[in-house]
Amino acid sequence: MEDKKYAIEVKDLRIRYRCLNKMSIKQSLFKLKKSNMEIFEAVRGISFKVPKGEIMGIVGKNGSGKSTLLRAIAGIFAPDEGSIDLHGHTVSLLSIGVGFQKKLTGRENILLSGMLLGFSEEEIRERMPEIIEFSELGKFIDRPVRTYSSGMHSKLAFSITAILETEIMLVDEVLSVGDAKFKKKSFKKMKQLINDKDRTVVIVSHNGDTLRKLCDTILWLHDGVIKMQGSTKEVLPLYEEFMS
């Protein structure tokens, strides 16, 4: 019964990228040696647990592995080593540039995103008017997503995740995008979603105020390893001091 208390368990997680060193295409076709392949380890053997209902913030300088970790928890990246156990909970990733088909309309992307999150077509169509209304996209909902600005993109992404609620929500810097009015509205909605004591939330953000207001704990990543983990009150001031 012990594991039921946790929504997320990450053990000895390693994620590597394979990068090709610069060389001509001709060379690469005839001579793809291992020496031309550079391995970059973005996440380097980390372990942590997130109790069910906790709101955890992830901080770290750019390139420390935050977004890679979030994508691995969401199932977009497969671990090279180690394991991620979500104990059967449904999970959604709220991140700009993830999961939308650019050629499809906003409406079609709502359907596609919802199905990828495990909802039935009937469930999605039922919530569709609410998602469209929350997104404030108006007639743009029936235009291809490639015509959207980054603000419109984030409005649609946030609306889908906020209305089609999952048990685990992963949020990657999305609360800082969009106009002031929508920011306020999305922050209010986020607080409402978070107040459900059965929902577990992981937020990647550079905004200290957001983390202070929303998070119970902070995980500090540095160059792919955990530098510190603890209460927001304890970790955030040390991280901010480090960054200044």
Side-chain angles (χ1 to χ4, degrees):
M1 287 301 288
E2 184 65 22
D3 63 354
K4 289 291 177 206
K5 294 179 187 171
Y6 294 103
I8 304 167
E9 286 194 68
V10 173
K11 199 173 178 196
D12 304 325
L13 183 69
R14 289 182 185 272
I15 298 167
R16 304 181 187 103
Y17 294 107
R18 284 148 190 84
C19 327
L20 267 180
N21 287 340
K22 277 188 180 172
M23 59 177 178
S24 73
I25 290 174
K26 195 174 176 182
Q27 270 180 306
S28 71
L29 287 172
F30 294 107
K31 196 176 113 188
L32 195 54
K33 286 185 185 162
K34 276 197 175 129
S35 61
N36 291 317
M37 203 64 101
E38 206 178 287
I39 305 287
F40 170 69
E41 200 162 45
V43 175
R44 305 192 288 148
I46 68 171
S47 300
F48 64 89
K49 296 177 182 184
V50 185
K52 190 179 173 183
E54 185 168 286
I55 302 124
M56 185 178 84
I58 302 180
V59 297
K61 63 180 175 62
N62 289 335
S64 57
K66 304 185 301 295
S67 293
T68 300
L69 174 59
L70 230 53
R71 281 163 171 70
I73 295 170
I76 294 167
F77 290 164
D80 288 294
E81 285 178 38
S83 63
I84 298 166
D85 192 350
L86 304 181
H87 299 294
H89 294 104
T90 55
V91 62
S92 59
L93 171 65
L94 186 49
S95 177
I96 298 305
V98 172
F100 284 158
Q101 295 294 318
K102 300 272 195 284
K103 288 178 186 172
L104 300 181
T105 65
R107 193 183 295 272
E108 289 164 335
N109 270 294
I110 293 172
L111 261 176
L112 184 63
S113 299
M115 283 171 168
L116 289 171
L117 290 175
F119 292 91
S120 69
E121 187 175 338
E122 194 185 345
E123 286 171 315
I124 303 158
R125 290 198 186 278
E126 204 178 290
R127 311 299 293 272
M128 184 91 78
E130 202 183 336
I131 294 167
I132 294 168
E133 189 189 344
F134 193 94
S135 74
E136 303 174 356
L137 289 174
K139 60 181 183 290
F140 278 96
I141 202 68
D142 292 307
R143 291 186 188 170
V145 165
R146 63 177 153 75
T147 64
Y148 288 16
S149 66
S150 65
M152 290 162 75
H153 204 291
S154 74
K155 281 179 173 183
L156 183 60
F158 187 89
S159 304
I160 293 168
T161 308
I163 308 301
L164 296 175
E165 301 169 19
T166 54
E167 293 156 318
I168 299 173
M169 279 178 74
L170 310 171
V171 184
D172 194 357
E173 279 298 353
V174 160
L175 293 173
S176 57
V177 190
D179 52 73
K181 182 171 154 272
F182 193 81
K183 243 184 246 184
K184 204 171 172 183
K185 182 166 105 167
S186 59
F187 190 81
K188 190 178 167 192
K189 181 70 178 172
M190 194 72 197
K191 280 189 87 166
Q192 188 189 323
L193 290 170
I194 280 171
N195 283 337
D196 178 343
K197 60 183 183 300
D198 287 333
R199 184 169 290 107
T200 308
V201 186
V202 180
I203 302 172
V204 165
S205 181
H206 287 288
N207 188 321
D209 288 342
T210 298
L211 296 168
R212 261 183 210 91
K213 284 174 189 164
L214 297 178
C215 301
D216 305 312
T217 60
I218 299 287
L219 179 79
W220 176 1
L221 281 185
H222 186 74
D223 294 339
V225 296
I226 295 172
K227 193 170 171 77
M228 195 177 178
Q229 185 180 10
S231 70
T232 304
K233 232 187 290 187
E234 178 192 5
V235 181
L236 204 55
L238 293 172
Y239 167 70
E240 287 172 335
E241 190 184 331
F242 176 84
M243 288 303 284
S244 63

